[in-house]
Amino acid sequence: MQQKLNIVPFVSVQNMMKLVLATGVERFLTDLAGYIEEDFRRWEMFNKAPRVASHSADGVIELMPTSDGETYGFKYVNGHPKNTRSGRQTVTAFGVLADVGNGYPILLTEMTILTALRTAAMSAVAAKYLAPKGARTMAMIGNGAQSEFQAIAFKAILGVDRLRLYDIDSSATRRCVNNVAGMGFDVTACASSQEAVEGAEIVTTVTADKQYAKILTDNMVGPGIHINAIGGDCPGKTELHRDILLRSDIFVEYKPQTRIEGEIQQIDPDHPVIELWQVIAGKAPGRTDERQITLFDSVGFAIEDFSALRYVRDQLRETGLYEELDLLADPDEPRDLFGMILRAAKPAAVMQQTGA
Amino acid sequence: MQQKLNIVPFVSVQNMMKLVLATGVERFLTDLAGYIEEDFRRWEMFNKAPRVASHSADGVIELMPTSDGETYGFKYVNGHPKNTRSGRQTVTAFGVLADVGNGYPILLTEMTILTALRTAAMSAVAAKYLAPKGARTMAMIGNGAQSEFQAIAFKAILGVDRLRLYDIDSSATRRCVNNVAGMGFDVTACASSQEAVEGAEIVTTVTADKQYAKILTDNMVGPGIHINAIGGDCPGKTELHRDILLRSDIFVEYKPQTRIEGEIQQIDPDHPVIELWQVIAGKAPGRTDERQITLFDSVGFAIEDFSALRYVRDQLRETGLYEELDLLADPDEPRDLFGMILRAAKPAAVMQQTGA
């Protein structure tokens, strides 16, 4: 990838969209899910740090680093709920991969779109191990920017082809319905979350309000359901009634982070939960009986972004969908950084500019 | 700066060199020093986190975030001593500024060159408050990539115009001598560090070996000297004999970090040290008498990078020395990220690619 030491491949938003379209959304999500499963299987190899958050009145800016010992990756991501008022995204992100051996970055990419894709792929991977076998119907409560990605991931990876949609903002539901039209779904727009969950084997909650919400109440959750809880992802932001947690077998990405950010912030810190990687690695059971309620309490973890960065990096050579960024100083003589600057100018100019 | 919401201004290595040359190295360092002093005066406003390090056998990759409540900044920086063997830099870096209010990045820039400049500017700022008045002679032990920047910063900001250079690698000294030729210095290449410190009012140690070194021994340090210790900057990497620390008044950037990374890792954790910002803000004395030995135990702190990022950002509009990076997804409708991808393709193509 790097002929020149100063160059870092950069994937712009335009190139990311081209990559998704050239690959096909379903295949992109399926391949990405494969990378996530691969990394979750080798979970113990990763250097796992909690994300580094800088909180302010209007939102949060986070850095999410991790490393498998050979490659280092981090994501910059913000969360600012009020941004939509100014025509901005609530969440934007970009990410970097680097070579642990020499510390040089090897990829810079937009991750706003990529995070939406990896979040959906992650949900589908969890459901693959936790949802009732042969599930075809998913209720989706919250039909915002993440909803179509969730729908397509569940179709591509689990064969879910019946959607029951509800959002307090019916225009969001209409948008989602229009966007997935012609993709092979049987879609029902519902008038309430109660109606949405009727007959659903999988319930995805993906709402945005920052509060202790009760998107799902206990009576709405029947036996055998898999709950894919995406929206509750920071302190003070949850979606499920506490009683549901107490009836469910709870699966999380990374306990130390989910205790703070996930649905389980509502319950006793000692309440048993299973880290999903253990199920994928065959160290813990997933769904064991058909009446069991399984809950994937998803908050998003750095290793998922690492998988997404790896996947994008592996597509570059073949697709060529990147630009070359002149990001790293590469002096002719490594210890002569200043000389590189001098030689970038006409000698005469330097003298004058350095005041000699 | 940002007409378009998807665009982040990017300063490449080429543009950074052009900016340095167009500004003039001395003026760049002087202006940058002004930004550092300004931020050190308002030190208490900053959100100060220790840097987030990922260590490996060959080196370290660090993220250094900070925020003043309005603007957030972070630097990615690696340290890999063996890199020179493969023609790479020991240290490379890039940095980002973002708007705390909406979390959107507002600048991405190379920081390998910029870090070299801010390190030199920081040293000169410290010396301005700590070195003996009217000091004109500086010994510099270690003549690597940082040395010319140090020399020029001390000349521009303190009027130091006599250099006494020593490096175990005489070719490094020769390179430094050649690079500063014609810039108004009286330069003496010395055969030993003992010879280098003779008659010097300021002693800068800027060596690279990762070990507990003794670049300066107690007998080499006379009364009234200011020591600018740059090279000792991580656990297990120091340059000064312990006895020198016990005779000196010690000034540091940020105690919690310097205790781990600086020269003071050699002495009692309770040994008194002064944070430099207190001197600059007038809350603590700097040099109080002419026989006093002052030591700036410098390791580099996130706020200095923040100052450098602010300075570069403030030059962009006037100089135009940046590129526009398509880094942030900006859908026509903020909640319709997926629709943005759909509309990036011909409808027909989408159907097929999404498997419908």
Side-chain angles (χ1 to χ4, degrees):
Chain A
M1 189 58 53
Q2 279 169 275
Q3 317 82 338
K4 304 174 227 98
L5 285 178
N6 65 309
I7 294 299
V8 175
F10 166 61
V11 179
S12 66
V13 173
Q14 277 302 324
N15 273 326
M16 183 60 72
M17 293 197 290
K18 285 180 188 168
L19 178 61
V20 172
L21 290 166
T23 308
V25 184
E26 289 201 356
R27 193 186 132 207
F28 191 110
L29 286 162
T30 307
D31 293 350
L32 179 49
Y35 274 68
I36 291 172
E37 280 195 69
E38 191 178 303
D39 287 336
F40 272 52
R41 253 184 227 105
R42 58 194 192 107
W43 184 271
E44 288 157 300
M45 291 175 53
F46 283 87
N47 167 341
K48 291 172 283 291
R51 50 180 132 197
V52 184
S54 176
H55 295 276
S56 63
D58 295 322
V60 61
I61 295 175
E62 297 176 326
L63 299 173
M64 300 168 66
T66 189
S67 164
D68 67 2
E70 279 186 11
T71 308
Y72 169 94
F74 81 89
K75 178 168 81 170
Y76 169 106
V77 59
N78 75 294
H80 288 69
K82 293 180 193 157
N83 272 7
T84 46
R85 298 183 196 165
S86 60
R88 289 181 168 82
Q89 294 287 296
T90 301
V91 173
T92 59
F94 66 90
V96 169
L97 274 185
D99 181 328
V100 168
N102 57 40
Y104 272 41
I106 54 180
L107 172 68
L108 171 69
T109 177
E110 88 82 38
M111 284 190 84
T112 308
I113 294 166
L114 190 58
T115 296
L117 289 155
R118 76 84 158 129
T119 300
M122 182 74 248
S123 290
V125 166
K128 191 175 132 185
Y129 290 88
L130 302 177
K133 291 279 153 286
R136 288 184 59 184
T137 306
M138 176 161 78
M140 197 149 48
I141 301 171
N143 304 151
Q146 171 65 198
S147 57
E148 299 94 339
F149 296 98
Q150 288 281 330
I152 297 170
F154 276 78
K155 178 166 181 295
I157 293 157
L158 280 88
V160 168
D161 58 1
R162 299 182 193 132
L163 298 177
R164 301 179 61 79
L165 306 180
Y166 174 71
D167 195 295
I168 47 172
D169 172 1
S170 59
S171 72
T173 304
R174 273 196 301 280
R175 194 210 67 251
C176 181
V177 170
N178 294 336
N179 280 340
V180 301
M183 295 185 184
F185 291 103
D186 169 357
V187 185
T188 308
C190 303
S192 69
S193 46
Q194 287 77 1
E195 184 188 337
V197 300
E198 283 167 21
E201 300 137 312
I202 299 169
V203 176
T204 290
T205 57
V206 57
T207 59
D209 275 9
K210 180 162 183 176
Q211 57 169 304
Y212 292 108
K214 300 276 177 288
I215 306 304
L216 283 186
T217 51
D218 197 35
N219 62 305
M220 291 165 67
V221 179
I225 296 293
H226 173 63
I227 304 169
N228 174 41
I230 306 301
D233 61 359
C234 67
K237 184 167 182 293
T238 61
E239 294 181 309
L240 309 184
H241 190 289
R242 188 173 180 285
D243 293 349
I244 297 171
L245 305 184
L246 302 178
R247 285 169 58 210
S248 307
D249 290 307
I250 304 173
F251 300 83
V252 302
E253 288 142 318
Y254 181 57
K255 272 183 206 176
Q257 187 174 304
T258 312
R259 291 282 183 206
I260 297 164
E261 303 174 356
E263 295 298 328
I264 58 174
Q265 67 188 274
Q266 301 184 70
I267 59 176
D268 187 298
D270 300 331
H271 188 93
V273 302
I274 299 164
E275 288 189 332
L276 186 66
W277 72 270
Q278 297 178 295
V279 177
I280 294 173
K283 296 174 183 292
R287 170 169 292 270
T288 48
D289 77 75
E290 61 190 13
R291 293 186 55 77
Q292 176 185 21
I293 299 168
T294 51
L295 165 61
F296 179 45
D297 183 3
S298 178
V299 297
F301 187 58
I303 292 176
E304 297 149 36
D305 298 307
F306 183 89
S307 308
L309 287 164
R310 276 206 308 125
Y311 172 69
V312 168
R313 186 201 172 196
D314 289 350
Q315 311 314 309
L316 296 189
R317 185 176 274 108
E318 197 187 316
T319 65
L321 292 170
Y322 64 95
E323 296 155 50
E324 296 196 332
L325 218 57
D326 171 33
L327 186 63
L328 306 175
D330 179 34
D332 32 19
E333 201 273 279
R335 290 176 70 189
D336 194 10
L337 194 59
F338 185 73
M340 176 177 68
I341 300 172
L342 291 186
R343 287 183 286 277
K346 294 186 178 54
V350 183
M351 296 305 168
Q352 164 216 329
Q353 280 150 359
T354 52
Chain B
M1 191 55 54
Q2 279 170 272
Q3 317 83 339
K4 304 176 227 98
L5 285 178
N6 65 308
I7 294 299
V8 176
F10 165 62
V11 180
S12 66
V13 173
Q14 278 302 323
N15 274 325
M16 183 60 72
M17 292 197 290
K18 286 179 186 168
L19 178 61
V20 173
L21 291 166
T23 310
V25 183
E26 291 201 353
R27 195 188 130 205
F28 191 110
L29 286 162
T30 307
D31 293 349
L32 178 49
Y35 275 67
I36 291 173
E37 281 195 68
E38 191 177 303
D39 287 336
F40 271 53
R41 259 188 220 100
R42 59 195 191 107
W43 183 270
E44 287 156 301
M45 292 175 53
F46 283 87
N47 167 342
K48 291 171 282 292
R51 51 181 132 197
V52 185
S54 176
H55 295 276
S56 62
D58 296 323
V60 61
I61 295 175
E62 297 175 326
L63 299 174
M64 300 168 67
T66 190
S67 164
D68 67 2
E70 279 185 11
T71 308
Y72 169 94
F74 82 89
K75 177 168 81 169
Y76 168 105
V77 59
N78 75 294
H80 288 69
K82 293 180 194 157
N83 272 8
T84 46
R85 298 183 198 166
S86 61
R88 290 181 168 81
Q89 293 288 294
T90 301
V91 173
T92 59
F94 67 89
V96 169
L97 275 185
D99 181 328
V100 168
N102 57 39
Y104 272 41
I106 53 179
L107 172 69
L108 170 69
T109 177
E110 89 80 38
M111 284 191 83
T112 308
I113 293 167
L114 190 58
T115 296
L117 289 155
R118 74 83 160 134
T119 300
M122 181 74 249
S123 290
V125 166
K128 191 175 133 185
Y129 291 88
L130 302 176
K133 292 279 153 284
R136 288 184 59 185
T137 305
M138 175 161 79
M140 195 150 46
I141 301 170
N143 304 151
Q146 171 64 198
S147 56
E148 299 94 338
F149 297 98
Q150 287 281 330
I152 298 169
F154 276 77
K155 178 166 181 295
I157 294 157
L158 280 87
V160 168
D161 57 1
R162 300 182 193 132
L163 299 177
R164 301 180 61 81
L165 306 180
Y166 173 70
D167 195 297
I168 47 171
D169 173 1
S170 58
S171 71
T173 305
R174 271 195 303 278
R175 194 210 66 251
C176 181
V177 170
N178 294 337
N179 280 340
V180 300
M183 295 184 183
F185 291 102
D186 168 357
V187 186
T188 309
C190 303
S192 69
S193 45
Q194 287 77 0
E195 185 187 336
V197 300
E198 282 167 23
E201 299 137 311
I202 299 169
V203 177
T204 291
T205 57
V206 58
T207 59
D209 275 8
K210 178 162 184 176
Q211 56 169 310
Y212 292 109
K214 301 275 176 290
I215 305 305
L216 283 186
T217 50
D218 197 34
N219 62 305
M220 292 164 66
V221 179
I225 296 293
H226 172 63
I227 303 169
N228 174 42
I230 306 302
D233 60 359
C234 67
K237 185 168 184 292
T238 60
E239 295 182 309
L240 308 184
H241 190 290
R242 189 172 179 284
D243 293 347
I244 297 171
L245 305 185
L246 302 178
R247 286 169 57 208
S248 306
D249 289 307
I250 304 173
F251 300 82
V252 303
E253 289 141 318
Y254 181 56
K255 273 183 204 175
Q257 188 175 304
T258 311
R259 291 282 182 206
I260 296 165
E261 302 174 355
E263 295 297 329
I264 58 173
Q265 67 188 275
Q266 302 182 70
I267 58 176
D268 186 297
D270 300 330
H271 188 93
V273 302
I274 299 164
E275 288 189 333
L276 187 65
W277 74 269
Q278 297 178 296
V279 177
I280 293 173
K283 296 174 184 290
R287 171 171 291 270
T288 48
D289 78 75
E290 61 189 15
R291 293 187 57 79
Q292 176 184 22
I293 298 167
T294 52
L295 165 61
F296 179 46
D297 183 3
S298 178
V299 297
F301 187 57
I303 292 176
E304 297 150 38
D305 298 308
F306 183 89
S307 308
L309 287 164
R310 277 206 306 124
Y311 172 68
V312 168
R313 186 200 172 196
D314 290 350
Q315 310 314 309
L316 296 188
R317 185 177 273 104
E318 197 188 315
T319 65
L321 291 171
Y322 65 94
E323 296 153 51
E324 296 196 331
L325 219 56
D326 171 33
L327 186 62
L328 306 176
D330 179 34
D332 32 19
E333 201 274 281
R335 290 176 69 187
D336 194 10
L337 194 60
F338 185 73
M340 176 178 70
I341 299 172
L342 292 186
R343 287 183 286 277
K346 294 186 178 54
V350 182
M351 297 304 167
Q352 163 218 328
Q353 280 149 359
T354 52

